[in-house]
Amino acid sequence: MREPRRMDVMGVFLSENTNLTNGFIQINRTQTYPSKADNSKAIALPVLMFVGGALGNIIAIVVLSISRQERKSSAFYTLVCGLAVTDLLGTCLASPLTIANYLDEHILKDDHLCAFQSFLLLFFGVAGLSIICAMSAERFMAICCPYTYRRWRVGRRFAQTFLFSIYVSNIVFCCLPMMGMARSELQPSLTWCFIEWRKQDPLPAAYSFLYGTASLLLILATIVFNVAVCGTLLVMRKRTVQRPVTRASVRERWVALSSAAETQMIAVLVLTSAVVLACSAPLVARVFANQIMHQDYYQADLTAIRIASVNPILDPWIYILLRRSLFKRILGSSRRARQSYSKRNSPPSTQALFYPCPVPETSNSHVLTQLLCNANVITQPPAYIPYGPEARQHTGGNS
């Protein structure tokens, strides 16, 4: 008698001696099913994953909702809240199907339910990548293109409109298999459905490549935006240290960008991007591998979908752990340690030059407000930043 089937971390049934032939499952008729005690133990993990993902995203949404008004009105935190809502919906819609299929193995054999789960996996995979890419683009514009950012009036309403367009476009894109461009099929593990990603027919192959290419482009765009933002901040910091006298405006801008609110945004962006990309990349790689190689690496597919399922569980804890109060304490401790070190190692005459006064802790305004709400910029933005003698004449000799 064969050993009972066991369940992996995604709630996926595995058979120790299952034979795979031409993509179909051959199951020995003498196979025994797990007892009720085994069922209760095996179902505990997917239930805990479901509860953890739902509870974490709910807490994250509450934390973002009780933030101060200036944060709630920003485009960045509107997109962060949209990502939390997306993860919550994905967890609440996809996980119950997996649990129900564990209780009754005939659930996903229904064509409509199988197509629905395939749509959920497609949609929430590409939607998460789209939102994280939009977050990276928003930070890139705010730091690298501040005048364009202000001219386009990027704010809460702009972000809400953009989120709506992301949802609509991705729903249409992920509904194409239901419209006949591809077909959903029950995967060999019998517990999850996805598109036919090993077919050589023109339409299914075209959709697989289209989905994989769109996901890959979103990943690459996110990486480029994040590298550009971090590179810009490092260049500004280097200029501030090297030429603090002749480039006072650069130093002032670095101080504004180093405020707690802005630094927190960059930290949230970088950590969230790393988690989303790390969890999404394996599934995107399997889409290309299955369509190009046409080999039956079912365990690799299973591993990729497992990793993708961890994403909505990890994302919300980034927002929770990096909330404003905790982040201010960490940043304040780091700043005090840096200032204490500078006082011990820098001459008194140069301390004020190389270490300008920090932005007050009570300042929560956006970086554009700090940069543009001064008399010279508000009246007419300069076409260039004056240096040397021109800077003294531009500021009335008070540089």
Side-chain angles (χ1 to χ4, degrees), residues 371-382 394-396:
L371 298 179
L372 301 180
C373 290
N374 57 73
N376 295 328
V377 177
I378 289 180
T379 53
Q380 183 174 356
H394 181 74
T395 58

Side-chain angles (χ1 to χ4, degrees), residues 67-350:
S67 301
R68 297 184 179 182
Q69 183 60 35
E70 51 266 30
R71 284 184 59 191
K72 290 193 292 185
S73 62
S74 67
F76 181 81
Y77 281 101
T78 302
L79 293 173
V80 171
C81 189
L83 183 60
V85 172
T86 302
D87 288 339
L88 178 62
L89 289 176
T91 300
C92 293
L93 292 176
S95 294
L97 280 177
T98 302
I99 297 173
N101 188 74
Y102 174 74
L103 298 175
D104 183 1
E105 62 179 0
H106 300 287
I107 291 291
L108 291 181
K109 291 182 179 179
D110 182 89
D111 292 338
H112 298 290
L113 289 178
C114 185
F116 179 64
Q117 190 186 53
S118 177
F119 166 79
L120 292 178
L121 295 178
L122 291 170
F123 172 75
F124 287 106
V126 73
L129 290 175
S130 301
I131 296 175
I132 199 67
C133 183
M135 291 166 56
S136 302
E138 189 273 342
R139 284 294 85 199
F140 173 80
M141 290 185 61
I143 294 176
C144 302
C145 309
Y147 293 111
T148 302
Y149 187 92
R150 186 176 179 84
R151 186 171 63 250
W152 287 6
R153 298 180 180 179
V154 178
R156 184 177 182 179
R157 289 189 176 182
F158 185 94
Q160 289 174 343
T161 304
F162 200 80
L163 280 173
F164 179 77
S165 65
I166 287 176
Y167 268 82
V168 172
S169 59
N170 286 335
I171 286 175
V172 174
F173 179 57
C174 296
C175 280
L176 292 178
M178 299 181 184
M179 300 177 184
M181 190 169 183
R183 192 175 70 86
S184 300
E185 63 180 0
L186 185 63
Q187 298 301 307
S189 59
L190 300 179
T191 53
W192 64 293
C193 293
F194 206 64
I195 56 174
E196 297 175 320
W197 49 2
R198 293 184 180 87
K199 294 293 184 180
Q200 298 183 4
D201 297 338
L203 283 179
Y207 184 80
S208 295
F209 280 117
L210 185 62
Y211 183 84
T213 302
S215 301
L216 181 61
L217 290 177
L218 290 172
I219 292 175
L220 294 178
T222 301
I223 295 175
V224 169
F225 284 135
N226 288 344
V227 170
V229 168
C230 296
T232 301
L233 295 178
L234 291 176
V235 169
M236 291 171 61
R237 178 60 176 170
K238 184 178 180 180
R239 291 178 179 178
T240 301
V241 174
Q242 290 180 346
R243 300 183 180 181
V245 178
T246 59
R247 301 198 175 186
S249 59
V250 176
R251 183 174 67 251
E252 293 171 359
R253 190 181 181 196
W254 168 255
V255 172
L257 289 171
S258 301
S259 64
E262 296 300 328
T263 309
Q264 184 191 24
M265 289 184 184
I266 300 301
V268 170
L269 173 62
V270 172
L271 291 178
T272 307
S273 300
V275 170
V276 173
L277 298 185
C279 293
S280 302
L283 185 60
V284 175
R286 292 307 306 162
V287 171
F288 285 108
N290 285 329
Q291 197 58 53
I292 294 174
M293 300 172 63
H294 300 289
Q295 295 182 359
D296 298 335
Y297 293 123
Y298 299 117
Q299 188 60 38
D301 298 339
L302 193 60
T303 302
I305 201 65
R306 289 179 191 172
I307 297 174
S309 68
V310 178
N311 180 36
I313 301 176
L314 297 180
D315 278 346
W317 293 106
I318 297 176
Y319 325 137
I320 296 170
L321 296 177
L322 291 183
R323 62 188 184 275
R324 174 69 171 167
S325 58
L326 178 62
F327 194 81
K328 282 180 63 176
R329 288 201 278 288
I330 296 175
L331 191 64
S333 300
S334 176
R335 181 178 296 161
R336 285 192 296 271
R338 186 175 65 250
Q339 290 177 348
S340 176
Y341 177 81
S342 66
K343 289 179 181 179
R344 292 195 304 266
N345 295 275
S346 299
S349 59
T350 60

